């Protein structure tokens, strides 16, 4: 049987190729073991996030939106129906900021108790191309939204215009940040919370510290 001897240079090259192949194999296995990147990772809430309170005056130009009942409405008219107002911006496929923001609105609605129909809660979609009125109604039902908590969609241009009015437009839906706006009366300035304001914080803006204590007390086990 004939034996063939390999040139030392070729032998070294083969070894190098074999070693590189092994390294590539290990790298692929390590990559496969890592969890897939979360497209919403940039706007998952941070437990240590702070809340910044400020006041502002916003002028709402003519903007037409579509309410979750399918009606075309003027944003200015919806915001000026005489009731105290709490406003946020959401979208239904959001997995980070929006569920928590909507949960806080749901808590606020519950804490308002018998007064909840006297406060208008407004959630405007920043993804109107996906968020049809029917989709918004389904989303609202997940958070037990009552008749005084309404959701709005419309054209992309209208949504962006509404976002710009309240200085929350961040280029696209993936860049949005948690902002809640409160106006205790039609002629009052807006109170802006950057970050996740709690339901109690919002309640305090609406009614004052004494009413917050009473409302929270009435919802505690001892008060039921």
């Amino acid at each position: 049987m004939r034996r063939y001897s390999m040139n030392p240079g070729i032998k070294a090259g083969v070894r190098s190729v074999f070693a590189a192949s092994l390294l590539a194999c290990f790298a692929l296995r390590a990559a496969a073991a890592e969890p897939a990147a979360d497209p919403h990772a940039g706007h998952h809430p941070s437990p240590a996030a702070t809340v910044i309170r400020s006041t502002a005056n916003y002028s709402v130009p003519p903007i037409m939106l579509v309410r979750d009942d399918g009606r075309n409405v003027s944003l200015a008219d919806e915001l000026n129906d005489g009731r105290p107002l709490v406003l946020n911006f959401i979208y239904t496929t959001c997995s980070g900021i929006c569920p928590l923001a909507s949960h806080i609105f749901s808590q606020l609605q519950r804490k308002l108790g018998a007064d909840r129909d006297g406060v208008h809660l407004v959630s405007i979609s920043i993804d109107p191309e996906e968020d049809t009125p029917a989709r918004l109604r389904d989303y609202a039902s997940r958070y037990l939204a009552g008749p005084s908590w309404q959701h709005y969609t419309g054209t992309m241009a209208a949504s962006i215009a509404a976002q710009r009015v309240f200085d929350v437009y961040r280029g696209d839906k993936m860049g949005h940040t948690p902002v809640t706006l409160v106006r205790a009366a039609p002629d009052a300035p807006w109170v802006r919370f950057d970050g996740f304001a709690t339901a109690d914080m919002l309640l305090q803006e609406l009614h004052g510290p004494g009413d917050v204590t009473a409302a929270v007390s009435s919802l505690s086990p001892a008060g039921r």
Side-chain angles (χ1 to χ4, degrees), residues 68 83-88 100-123 136-137 139-151 180 182 197-204 206-207 211 215-216 218-219 224:
D68 51 20
R83 291 180 289 176
L85 181 71
V86 187
L87 167 68
N88 69 5
L100 181 52
S102 296
H103 177 67
I104 291 169
F105 266 38
S106 184
Q107 287 182 319
L108 174 61
Q109 181 181 245
R110 180 172 61 87
K111 287 176 179 289
L112 283 166
D115 295 329
R116 74 179 196 173
D117 289 340
V119 177
H120 194 187
L121 306 186
V122 172
S123 294
L136 287 175
R137 287 195 300 272
Y139 180 86
S141 70
R142 291 183 233 162
Y143 298 95
L144 305 177
S148 62
W149 180 6
Q150 294 168 315
H151 292 69
T180 308
V182 181
T198 67
D200 286 341
M201 292 169 69
L202 300 176
L203 198 61
Q204 181 168 344
L206 290 168
H207 293 311
D211 289 319
V216 173
S218 69
L219 290 167
R224 288 176 183 172

Side-chain angles (χ1 to χ4, degrees), residues 5-55:
S5 60
M6 186 178 292
N7 182 285
I10 296 176
K11 187 183 291 185
V14 170
R15 286 176 178 167
S16 297
V17 171
F18 180 69
S21 299
L22 280 176
L23 288 173
C25 180
F26 284 128
L28 286 172
R29 290 181 63 182
E34 292 180 356
D38 181 0
H40 297 269
H43 61 114
H44 282 303
S46 167
T50 58
V51 178
I52 299 173
R53 180 190 183 279
S54 59
T55 58

Side-chain angles (χ1 to χ4, degrees), residues 77-98:
D77 290 345
E78 294 293 291
L79 300 184
N80 292 292
D81 65 359
R83 291 180 289 176
L85 181 71
V86 187
L87 167 68
N88 69 5
F89 291 83
I90 54 93
Y91 65 100
T92 62
T93 58
C94 169
S95 65
I97 286 173
C98 310

Side-chain angles (χ1 to χ4, degrees), residues 47 58 85 124 133 145 173 187 189 193 202 210 215:
Y58 299 109
L85 181 71
I124 300 175
K173 64 184 181 182
D187 58 349
F193 291 99
L202 300 176

